[in-house]
């Protein structure tokens, strides 16, 4: 197991080849250069519909896996589309499953809005509200709007634009640094 801080990458899109997925794949590819260990969560489609009656032990296996991934992470990076002015239902469902646990509480968390200019504010507002309920530590300076032009995504699904790549590397580094600062302040 690596001593590098693990950053959990959460996509709010189930669509193959989405720009949100490209953002997170690109972040994943850049992570070694900023000395973080990326984990791209792939269980969004497997989560059961949230029902508070089921938020008891034993939890459904996909929920246990999600919460364990969050717990193991030093930080979380989210990239989600906006559907009908808010988060996609499947991603809101993922977030609903985090409310009953404590794993995300105080976890450095940020998001990238990859939507075209003038879009995505509803998803951002909903993220801010829901993450507030979960107790996640939103790292404001790491929450960015980085519009992604599909023409800059290569055949491997990675973004080639050097400015976007630099911004993503900076976000990963900032999340890892925030986690390290918080760990030091807890020890003091």
């Amino acid at each position: 197991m690596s001593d590098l801080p693990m950053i959990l990458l959460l996509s709010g899109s189930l669509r193959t080849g989405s720009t949100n997925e490209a953002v997170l794949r690109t972040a994943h590819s850049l992570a070694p250069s900023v000395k973080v260990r990326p984990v791209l969560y792939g269980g969004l489609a497997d989560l059961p519909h949230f029902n508070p009656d089921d938020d008891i032990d034993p939890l459904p296996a996909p929920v246990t896996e999600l919460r364990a991934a969050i717990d193991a992470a030093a930080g979380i990076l989210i990239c989600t589309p906006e559907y009908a002015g808010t988060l996609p239902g499947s991603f809101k469902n993922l977030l609903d499953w985090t409310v009953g646990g404590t794993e995300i509480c105080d976890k450095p968390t940020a998001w990238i809005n990859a939507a075209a200019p003038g879009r995505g504010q509803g998803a951002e507002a909903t993220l801010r509200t829901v993450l507030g309920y979960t107790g996640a530590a939103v790292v404001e300076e790491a929450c960015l709007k980085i519009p992604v032009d599909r023409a800059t995504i290569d055949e491997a699904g990675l973004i080639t634009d050097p400015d976007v790549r630099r911004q993503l590397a900076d976000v990963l580094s900032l999340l890892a640094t925030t986690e390290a600062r918080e760990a030091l302040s807890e020890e003091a």
Side-chain angles (χ1 to χ4, degrees):
M1 179 104 98
S2 171
D3 288 338
L4 297 176
M6 190 264 272
I7 303 297
L8 183 62
L9 308 173
L10 296 176
S11 176
S13 179
L14 291 171
R15 185 172 162 256
T16 303
S18 75
T19 55
N20 300 282
E21 182 182 320
V23 165
L24 295 178
R25 282 179 186 252
T26 303
H28 189 279
S29 75
L30 296 168
S33 70
V34 293
K35 298 188 175 29
V36 298
R37 183 172 50 94
V39 172
L40 186 57
Y41 177 74
L44 181 63
D46 299 327
L47 290 169
H49 294 290
F50 177 72
N51 179 342
D53 292 339
D54 295 335
D55 197 2
I56 56 171
D57 287 326
L59 290 167
V63 176
T64 299
E65 292 164 10
L66 168 66
R67 288 185 178 177
I70 292 170
D71 192 43
I76 299 170
L77 179 59
I78 298 167
C79 193
T80 183
E82 176 179 278
Y83 290 157
T86 190
L87 296 173
S90 56
F91 193 68
K92 175 64 168 64
N93 183 59
L94 177 149
L95 292 173
D96 286 344
W97 278 112
T98 69
V99 173
T102 59
E103 299 82 7
I104 201 169
C105 190
D106 297 324
K107 188 77 59 175
T109 304
W111 60 81
I112 302 296
N113 178 343
R119 312 238 1 195
Q121 293 87 345
E124 286 183 32
T126 305
L127 271 173
R128 185 172 303 286
T129 298
V130 176
L131 291 172
Y133 279 98
T134 68
V138 174
V139 181
E140 295 294 340
E141 58 271 27
C143 296
L144 300 178
K145 184 164 188 54
I146 306 175
V148 175
D149 180 351
R150 286 193 180 277
T152 65
I153 301 173
D154 68 16
E155 55 280 343
L158 301 176
I159 299 168
T160 58
D161 181 301
D163 188 49
V164 170
R165 294 174 66 81
R166 179 194 52 76
Q167 290 178 76
L168 291 175
D170 289 348
V171 165
L172 290 172
S173 182
L174 189 56
L175 280 171
T177 303
T178 300
E179 189 272 339
R181 280 193 314 258
E182 289 179 358
L184 287 174
S185 68
E186 288 173 8
E187 292 174 6

